[in-house]
Amino acid sequence: MLVVTLVLAAVGFGLLVTALTTGSVIWAWGCIIVCVAGAVLLLVSALSLRQDDGEAQQFRPGGRHSRH
């Protein structure tokens, strides 16, 4: 999912440059929509990673900082 987020960030940057070059509001709104979609995707990915990490810590007796 991180790769998709990076691609969306690159597309958003391209749309921003296009909007600034042409002066069109349509490209600017496209940039905003793509960037918000990327931010939501990144947030969902981070939250799912945190939940997976929490489930994995239940099986380790000392948690994340235990020494083996």
Side-chain angles (χ1 to χ4, degrees), residues 21-60:
T21 303
T22 62
S24 175
V25 177
I26 299 297
W27 295 113
W29 277 108
C31 172
I32 292 169
I33 291 169
V34 167
C35 290
V36 167
V40 168
L41 190 63
L42 186 63
L43 182 65
V44 167
S45 177
L47 290 177
S48 69
L49 183 65
R50 176 181 269 186
Q51 288 176 352
D52 291 342
D53 190 36
E55 291 171 1
Q57 284 183 3
Q58 292 176 356
F59 297 111
R60 283 185 261 162

